[in-house]
Amino acid sequence: MVDLVRDDKGRPLPLGLEQSASIPQMPSELLEVSMGPHHPSTHGVFRMDVVLDGETVTRLKPVFGYLHRNHEKIAEKTSYIGSMPYTDRLDYFCSMTNNWAYALAVEKLVGLAPPDRAEYIRIITAELTRLQNHACLVGFLLQDMGAMGTPLMYAFREREKILDLFESLSGSRMMCNYMRFGGCRVDLPPGWLEQARRVVADFPQFLDEFEALLTGNEILMARTQGIGVLSKELAVNASVTGPMLRASGVNYDVRKVDGYGFYPRFDFRVPLGDHGDCYDRLMIRLLEMRESLKILEAALRDIPTGPILNPKSKLRNFKPNPGEAYGRIEAPKGELGFYLISDGSVSPLRYRVRPPSLINLTILEDMCLGHSVADVVVILGSVDIVLGEVDR
Amino acid sequence: MLGEGIIKGMVETARNFFGSYHDPARFVTIQYPEQRVPLKENNRNFPFLVFDGADTEKGLRCVACKICEKECPPQCIYIVPERDAHGKLQKHPKIFDIDISTCMSCQICVEVCPFDAIKMDQEFELSTGDRFSNLLLHKQDLAKPNDYYHKIHPTEATLVDAQLAKERQLAAQRKAGAGAAPASPPKHAPEKLVPVG
């Protein structure tokens, strides 16, 4: 005779379900998953040691360094201008802003001021960089959520136009190597401004399209709202910067706080988020693109003629007086800073990068705890990292 | 209504899909080896050496001063200057190699060259089966005529030619002046011309 298994009210359970009665009592076992380094959603060679309880993340350890290439030490052995092309390769999406941050640090070190036209060109290129970076970030984030291709391809279509502008200006699409200490390398080629004005004039249409595609999408909202909430206090304590910090509701933008370059001359607002979740981080980027367009319109209208390089600037035998300087800008990903100590020789004694991607990544665990493993991908995507900058 | 946002997005996708068949601005596909997009004038790839006249060897502007070798960030240039029978240095490179597998196309060699001897090429079809010897370019591979430079970077080449003519004229004047009157302090190379947009 079969020994029936009974439930807690004494009723016999149907045959074959004896096992299920004992499931609630079964001790759950933690599972350690290594996400990456070759995982399509990690945006490069980046690994996360995720400890899962079922599908819930109980611990997460980001592991980076796979792309480390000794950038800072190389810069300490080469001339000041020699590290300019290497800065292109930090955050390879935004080489113009990387160039600017490094040039700004050296200019602070030696007290060089770029001419007016160069300052305008810098603002134009930096804001174009911000446009393409944010557009691509949104595209990548949606790709991670499973919107295969469509938004990413729309973003890349726009990025192509901006990269064409960069190519006709600097000769290279991504590795621009365009800024110099005290100005820029070459002047704008003929017709460049008209082309840039056209790109800027067409961009709002793309943004409207993008917003129609995304903003009200129920799947997107279900996947992002309330996911990966980053509190204001934690964001400030972890020195998170850029759109991530502003999505948590902290009004801090280096363009406003520091007023480097000619940014104080431009009228733009700093969009702020309210909840600090993934949805806010996504929307902040869309709003920032609108503000960038305002800056671009004004800059392309007001750009003066004149020289583009300070005559005191030089490439060879560039020896700043002993001293130190920290130059920082609002890169698309956050505060990008270069800290330089000069001992009066041709190469810096100490060269240090403050990479926004790396510092924004440090609070990944706090944002992921308690969410499911599928949300980790979305949260990581909303941080906006480029591994070239994280590892250097 | 639930799903309204998704339908709105689908309409946008459909609009884009049909647009890609009708909007001429969106016919972006290029059948590459047969069709080509003209390269931008500023486009740069790897450096080459400019020579004037017809003689590849004698016309080289390079004087083997080794400034580019010193300034090159990835150290991909290797130069040995020519020496005559007495071991005296000649203003001519004996060996001029560029390892384009290391070169990162940063253009710093072009900017530091005081003789406008090295410029950026636009040749990009460089694939090869042997990555060691075929990517190490020697002097004879690198030397290209000034006409070629005019062809790929017309604006820049015109400016460079004007600059060089001016320098030659100044040098001739100085030489003529040195014979007659006590020479005025030698004037340094006039400031570089930059293309104006």
Side-chain angles (χ1 to χ4, degrees):
Chain A
M1 178 161 174
V2 183
D3 205 12
L4 289 173
V5 179
R6 291 167 187 280
D7 66 5
D8 42 12
K9 283 183 181 155
R11 289 173 302 201
L13 280 171
L15 284 176
L17 281 181
E18 300 93 331
Q19 286 293 319
S20 65
S22 57
I23 282 177
Q25 285 80 42
M26 218 166 66
S28 78
E29 202 175 302
L30 295 181
L31 178 70
E32 193 174 339
V33 179
S34 172
M35 271 182 85
H38 297 289
H39 190 280
S41 77
T42 55
H43 299 226
V45 272
F46 171 64
R47 190 161 70 91
M48 287 173 281
D49 266 343
V50 194
V51 178
L52 299 172
D53 180 3
E55 274 211 46
T56 315
V57 178
T58 57
R59 215 169 66 221
L60 184 144
K61 192 174 136 229
V63 184
F64 28 70
Y66 292 96
L67 212 59
H68 181 66
R69 53 203 187 283
N70 234 336
H71 172 68
E72 291 176 5
K73 219 65 199 168
I74 289 174
E76 285 163 21
K77 298 285 172 208
T78 182
S79 61
Y80 278 86
I81 190 66
S83 12
M84 186 62 93
Y86 287 117
T87 61
D88 292 337
R89 282 125 177 112
L90 284 177
D91 175 358
Y92 42 77
F93 261 87
C94 321
S95 61
M96 287 290 189
T97 46
N98 296 344
N99 284 179
W100 191 2
Y102 179 51
L104 195 72
V106 178
E107 280 158 14
K108 275 192 178 171
L109 191 62
V110 293
L112 267 177
D116 285 8
R117 187 175 169 84
E119 291 278 25
Y120 270 88
I121 296 177
R122 284 179 176 192
I123 284 179
I124 291 168
T125 51
E127 293 306 319
L128 284 173
T129 307
R130 198 181 314 278
L131 285 184
Q132 57 113 340
N133 180 71
H134 284 355
C136 289
L137 167 91
V138 176
F140 280 130
L141 182 52
L142 283 144
Q143 172 97 346
D144 289 348
M145 276 185 232
M148 290 309 282
T150 312
L152 182 64
M153 287 304 132
Y154 290 2
F156 265 54
R157 195 179 64 206
E158 298 307 307
R159 174 174 180 257
E160 197 61 31
K161 295 175 190 164
I162 293 172
L163 290 190
D164 273 353
L165 283 175
F166 286 172
E167 189 187 358
S168 61
L169 175 60
S170 72
S172 186
R173 285 154 52 86
M174 289 170 81
M175 304 298 140
C176 297
N177 184 19
Y178 179 62
M179 315 263 172
R180 289 290 173 262
F181 314 135
C184 300
R185 198 182 73 216
V186 287
D187 206 344
L188 305 174
W192 195 88
L193 283 175
E194 285 68 50
Q195 208 186 336
R197 281 189 197 112
R198 252 199 320 277
V199 169
V200 170
D202 289 347
F203 209 84
Q205 194 204 336
F206 158 72
L207 282 181
D208 293 342
E209 196 181 291
F210 227 38
E211 283 189 2
L213 199 61
L214 310 175
T215 322
N217 190 310
E218 285 83 0
I219 302 173
L220 177 96
M221 290 203 263
R223 287 297 304 271
T224 54
Q225 285 182 344
I227 302 294
V229 175
L230 175 62
S231 71
K232 219 184 231 189
E233 294 74 29
L234 181 62
V236 173
N237 285 340
S239 66
V240 168
T241 46
M244 265 188 87
L245 179 68
R246 293 193 286 275
S248 296
V250 183
N251 188 354
Y252 181 84
D253 187 321
V254 182
R255 290 176 291 177
K256 290 277 189 201
V257 176
D258 241 18
Y260 64 93
F262 278 176
Y263 274 114
R265 293 191 184 186
F266 293 94
D267 180 32
F268 65 99
R269 293 181 304 165
V270 180
L272 291 181
D274 206 11
H275 307 95
D277 57 2
C278 286
Y279 189 76
D280 275 12
R281 288 199 276 276
L282 194 105
M283 285 302 141
I284 279 280
R285 264 103 185 190
L286 289 174
L287 293 172
E288 275 194 9
M289 282 194 263
R290 301 241 182 227
E291 298 302 316
S292 287
L293 286 171
K294 274 191 210 165
I295 301 176
L296 275 169
E297 274 165 21
L300 288 166
R301 189 185 60 228
D302 299 340
I303 183 167
T305 51
I308 51 151
L309 196 61
N310 189 323
K312 283 192 192 130
S313 160
K314 64 176 184 174
L315 287 175
R316 290 173 53 216
N317 288 326
F318 182 80
K319 289 179 187 166
N321 289 331
E324 52 187 284
Y326 179 65
R328 59 174 187 168
I329 68 161
E330 179 73 27
K333 294 182 170 59
E335 177 189 327
L336 173 65
F338 281 83
Y339 178 62
L340 298 167
I341 302 179
S342 163
D343 57 353
S345 68
V346 287
S347 48
L349 181 73
R350 183 78 179 96
Y351 172 104
R352 161 94 186 130
V353 190
R354 183 215 185 270
S357 294
L358 172 67
I359 292 168
N360 290 355
L361 202 54
T362 51
I363 34 102
L364 189 64
E365 182 175 18
D366 302 270
M367 290 195 291
C368 291
L369 289 184
H371 290 296
S372 77
V373 68
D375 293 334
V376 171
V377 171
V378 179
I379 294 168
L380 178 70
S382 73
V383 176
D384 191 7
I385 55 164
V386 158
L387 267 296
E389 189 176 63
V390 173
D391 296 339
R392 302 190 304 292
Chain B
M1 187 189 86
L2 189 71
E4 199 184 332
I6 298 175
I7 293 165
K8 253 166 113 187
M10 292 292 191
V11 170
E12 200 57 52
T13 317
R15 216 173 53 76
N16 267 281
F17 173 69
F18 291 114
S20 69
Y21 283 97
H22 294 291
D23 186 359
R26 304 210 15 218
F27 299 156
V28 286
T29 308
I30 300 288
Q31 302 293 338
Y32 160 62
E34 292 84 27
Q35 298 174 352
R36 277 153 198 266
V37 182
L39 289 172
K40 307 255 181 330
E41 195 188 322
N42 272 345
N43 179 291
R44 62 186 145 94
N45 202 3
F46 292 123
F48 72 98
L49 294 174
V50 187
F51 69 85
D52 292 313
D55 191 340
T56 315
E57 195 61 25
K58 278 198 189 118
L60 272 187
R61 288 180 188 169
C62 178
V63 298
C65 65
K66 292 196 179 192
I67 288 174
C68 54
E69 186 188 37
K70 188 164 158 263
E71 295 291 327
C72 176
Q75 309 266 298
C76 70
I77 305 179
Y78 176 67
I79 303 173
V80 174
E82 190 101 63
R83 283 170 192 276
D84 65 4
H86 309 291
K88 196 171 168 263
L89 281 179
Q90 301 294 301
K91 285 188 174 175
H92 191 77
K94 186 176 167 202
I95 300 176
F96 195 113
D97 290 350
I98 294 181
D99 184 0
I100 59 165
S101 61
T102 315
C103 174
M104 60 176 180
S105 316
C106 66
Q107 215 180 352
I108 284 178
C109 53
V110 176
E111 284 166 65
V112 296
C113 181
F115 303 98
D116 289 306
I118 189 165
K119 295 290 170 196
M120 294 310 270
D121 205 346
Q122 292 187 339
E123 177 67 48
F124 59 90
E125 288 156 324
L126 298 156
S127 60
T128 165
D130 182 359
R131 68 194 168 102
F132 295 107
S133 55
N134 290 357
L135 290 179
L136 180 68
L137 299 187
H138 302 293
K139 194 169 62 176
Q140 60 272 24
D141 312 317
L142 291 166
K144 290 187 179 170
N146 197 17
D147 296 340
Y148 177 76
Y149 179 38
H150 272 274
K151 206 179 94 198
I152 58 173
H153 302 295
T155 324
E156 199 188 296
T158 317
L159 283 169
V160 166
D161 274 5
Q163 178 76 32
L164 288 174
K166 210 166 151 192
E167 272 168 32
R168 267 197 295 274
Q169 199 188 339
L170 275 174
Q173 271 174 16
R174 224 178 299 138
K175 213 172 170 187
S184 53
K187 213 172 168 193
H188 276 289
E191 57 198 85
K192 282 228 168 193
L193 294 171
V194 272
V196 181

